[in-house]
Amino acid sequence: MSTSFIQISDCHIDDEKMVMDVDTVDNLESILNHLKSQTFDVLLVSGDLTHNGTPSAYKKLQEQLKIVDVNIHVMPGNHDDKCNLSNAFETEMQNVIQLGDWQIITLDSVQANKVSGFLTEDQLLFLEQAISETHAKYSVVCLHHPIVPMRSDWDDELSLENPEDLFSIIDKYPTVKAVLWGHAHQSEVFDYNHIKLYSCPSTALQFNGPDSIGYNHYTLHSDGQIACETHWL
């Protein structure tokens, strides 16, 4: 038996129609309408939901998300306002999502007034407790910032500042099968020991990659295997 979830990222919804020279609302609507043809259990939005973090932008996003009838989980990116995001979606900045034999652990890697990310001691403790104390057989970790060099024109100085702290935890647990992120507006797959690393494309535009918008669709198998298909529009 398998379960599946979809990751979208870096929607950059704003009060202004055009963001970075694209209509981010129209692009997200195209993605969400495409999702109606997919079968999945959870929609995960991995940060930069909005471009400037205004309450009205989150309200606009929530209206758009009504296109899909599914459990939705959100997490912050560096463009988000954590207070406004939390109030709009009534959620913590880190969570554990149960999906059959699997769990998805979302972390808050956002620093105040900085583009790059950092996992605090509290976030690292949350991660280790979630892995070590769970009844789930397998874990997926998701944060906003990349944890390895992106092998592109992306400035890796804008990624996670302390990936070694993350690796020091997940290296201890073979039940961790994948780490996911957004932020770089780029689709990429990496291998790290027994763990798959997935970078999700943006629903707005790509910094490195095709002139398209996209999302990742993950299938979680009962034997601990994870598969990912990137869909481009």
Side-chain angles (χ1 to χ4, degrees):
M1 182 178 177
S2 64
T3 58
S4 75
F5 71 97
I6 283 173
Q7 178 191 9
I8 63 174
S9 200
D10 300 271
C11 307
H12 291 276
I13 302 303
D14 195 42
D15 299 320
E16 300 295 328
K17 180 177 177 62
M18 302 299 290
V19 178
M20 297 178 287
D21 297 322
V22 299
D23 187 334
T24 57
V25 171
D26 185 65
N27 284 356
L28 178 59
E29 185 170 332
S30 296
I31 292 284
L32 294 173
N33 280 322
H34 193 266
L35 293 187
K36 291 193 292 185
S37 67
Q38 304 294 315
T39 300
F40 59 102
D41 301 292
V42 163
L43 176 62
L44 178 62
V45 191
S46 56
D48 283 0
L49 285 70
T50 66
H51 195 59
N52 288 301
T54 63
S56 53
Y58 290 112
K59 184 176 181 180
K60 183 186 295 187
L61 174 62
Q62 286 179 303
E63 287 299 312
Q64 279 197 277
L65 290 173
K66 291 179 180 178
I67 292 174
V68 291
D69 183 19
V70 69
N71 290 327
I72 298 173
H73 296 269
V74 301
M75 50 191 294
N78 54 289
H79 278 268
D80 288 305
D81 180 288
K82 293 183 187 181
C83 182
N84 290 340
L85 185 154
S86 179
N87 289 338
F89 287 91
E90 298 181 350
T91 184
E92 300 294 330
M93 295 298 98
Q94 63 285 317
N95 282 290
V96 177
I97 306 159
Q98 302 293 334
L99 271 179
D101 290 334
W102 292 71
Q103 65 174 355
I104 305 169
I105 305 164
T106 67
L107 300 175
D108 175 9
S109 59
V110 177
Q111 303 185 84
N113 303 312
K114 292 191 73 173
V115 177
S116 57
F118 189 86
L119 290 173
T120 64
E121 287 296 327
D122 285 345
Q123 290 297 306
L124 295 168
L125 178 61
F126 177 85
L127 171 63
E128 182 142 31
Q129 288 179 336
I131 300 172
S132 63
E133 298 176 3
T134 185
H135 294 295
K137 292 181 179 178
Y138 313 108
S139 297
V140 173
V141 179
C142 187
L143 67 164
H144 183 64
H145 292 84
I147 64 173
V148 293
M150 287 299 298
R151 302 189 301 214
S152 70
D153 292 336
W154 170 258
D155 183 357
D156 292 317
E157 294 295 318
L158 303 180
S159 297
L160 189 70
E161 294 180 9
N162 59 331
E164 67 283 352
D165 292 332
L166 174 63
F167 285 125
S168 70
I169 293 174
I170 63 177
D171 281 345
K172 296 187 289 184
Y173 299 97
T175 53
V176 177
K177 298 301 182 181
V179 181
L180 327 176
W181 62 79
H183 190 51
H185 292 226
Q186 177 182 337
S187 174
E188 193 64 73
V189 183
F190 306 86
D191 288 298
Y192 173 79
N193 295 337
H194 62 281
I195 301 171
K196 285 289 188 181
L197 311 178
Y198 295 105
S199 177
C200 185
S202 167
T203 67
L205 79 166
Q206 311 317 311
F207 295 153
N208 292 280
D211 185 19
S212 305
I213 54 177
Y215 63 91
N216 283 351
H217 191 168
Y218 303 92
T219 302
L220 309 174
H221 296 281
S222 58
D223 63 355
Q225 297 297 309
I226 180 171
C228 174
E229 181 178 2
T230 300
H231 294 262
W232 294 106
L233 277 68

